[in-house]
Amino acid sequence: MPDTPPDFNLVGCGRLGRSITRLLHTHGLVRVAQLIDCAEEPARATQAFVGAGEPVAFKSLRPAAITLIATPDDAIAQVAAALACQMPPGSIVFHCSGALPSSALTPLREAGCAIASLHPLRSFASPDQAVADFAGTACGCEGDEAALAVFGPMFDAIGARRFAIDPAGKLLYHAGAVLACNHLVALMEAALRSMEAAGVPRDAAWPALRPLVEGTFANLDRVGPRAALTGPVARDDRDTVLAEWAATAAVDAPLGEVYRALSRMALTLTPPGGRLSPDDLEAAAANDRRTG
């Protein structure tokens, strides 16, 4: 690591960007220079959260040795193209998207910059909590060796557990992360809606469900998905599964579709030849489309 921390710019002052910037700053790994966002308030909020940096408009950006692009995925290529005419050769630019490869920054590589991507497998819903819990976070990374050789050790220093990922597989990699994190939140919402429809209020339902969820995670750790599966699909209770699908679909169509789709996925963990089959669930869906 250099004796003098390199200048660091953040483009995109959302929750992930401000969390990573604060971690790098508080560990003395970078000198936070400029904070750029399409709106002034996020940049100023990031300045307060990080304790460093100058909020500026994009047109006033001064190049830094290292730049993190932490915008939404759909804006990364556009930002890279806009930065390409400003960054001197030898600069390092990386993004933290899990879905996009580092090649989204190709205009910067063509301008002589080293580019890479590093994606933390962590929720940044609460930046304070993400910063406090970051040590041990697995981070998928890929890109130019010249870039990884500089900021990779910085992430090691804040507690990241880096692993290499094939850029060609990033959509599936990120889909797995979305299913495990974002869609888990959606699944818990589906469970709470079902409980509410049964007359159990949310403030009673979640404390009742949480130990069940935590026990399931413990079983997944101990024995893996196939052995951890319990419930009507695992027991081959065909009539119960189809009745519960109908009951949830009657509450609302998305809830019923969640129940049906996950029942079909659960079937892939059970021995073949049971009474319940994928055809039963497809027939239920087709019937729902005809009568919907």
Side-chain angles (χ1 to χ4, degrees):
M1 303 295 292
D3 294 333
T4 302
D7 285 354
F8 176 94
N9 283 345
L10 171 66
V11 181
C13 295
R15 292 175 290 188
L16 182 148
R18 69 181 58 173
S19 301
I20 296 299
T21 302
R22 177 163 158 178
L23 282 161
L24 295 173
H25 168 67
T26 56
H27 283 75
L29 300 166
V30 299
R31 188 190 77 81
V32 180
Q34 295 188 310
L35 308 168
I36 300 97
D37 198 90
C38 58
E40 182 178 354
E41 191 281 328
R44 296 213 171 273
T46 298
Q47 181 188 43
F49 182 74
V50 172
E54 175 193 7
V56 300
F58 193 91
K59 62 183 180 181
S60 301
L61 179 146
R62 296 186 303 273
I66 301 175
T67 298
L68 166 58
I69 299 176
T71 62
D73 287 1
D74 289 352
I76 287 176
Q78 180 182 358
V79 171
L83 282 176
C85 61
Q86 304 180 46
M87 303 297 288
S91 302
I92 292 169
V93 185
F94 71 103
H95 69 66
C96 287
S97 168
L100 296 180
S102 59
S103 59
L105 306 179
T106 292
L108 287 155
R109 177 187 280 150
E110 293 172 345
C113 300
I115 62 172
S117 170
L118 186 144
H119 175 250
L121 282 164
R122 172 166 294 282
S123 169
F124 290 88
S126 166
D128 281 308
Q129 197 64 47
V131 167
D133 296 343
F134 189 84
T137 297
C139 296
C141 57
E142 50 88 12
D144 296 340
E145 285 300 323
L148 294 171
V150 173
F151 76 78
M154 293 181 178
F155 274 79
D156 296 343
I158 64 175
R161 292 191 295 107
R162 290 187 295 137
F163 62 95
I165 183 168
D166 181 349
K170 288 197 74 173
L171 281 174
L172 288 172
Y173 154 83
H174 192 248
V178 167
L179 286 164
C181 178
N182 315 130
H183 287 180
L184 177 61
V185 174
L187 180 59
M188 293 303 100
E189 170 63 17
L192 289 169
R193 287 188 191 180
S194 189
M195 286 284 192
E196 280 186 308
V200 182
R202 284 181 176 238
D203 59 359
W206 180 242
L209 289 172
R210 181 172 175 171
L212 186 63
V213 175
E214 291 172 344
T216 301
F217 280 129
N219 288 335
L220 285 166
D221 281 340
R222 281 194 296 265
V223 298
R226 194 173 299 276
L229 182 68
T230 60
V233 172
R235 295 192 299 267
D236 197 28
D237 286 338
R238 177 181 182 277
D239 293 346
T240 297
V241 171
L242 295 179
E244 289 183 352
W245 167 80
T248 52
V251 174
D252 65 59
L255 182 59
E257 180 57 22
V258 167
Y259 188 93
R260 186 194 69 82
L262 291 177
S263 294
R264 178 156 187 162
M265 179 61 71
L267 266 177
T268 67
L269 300 174
T270 64
R275 294 178 61 240
L276 180 66
S277 73
D279 290 343
D280 293 322
L281 296 166
E282 286 305 310
N287 181 66
D288 185 50
R289 288 191 290 270
R290 286 195 301 270
T291 59

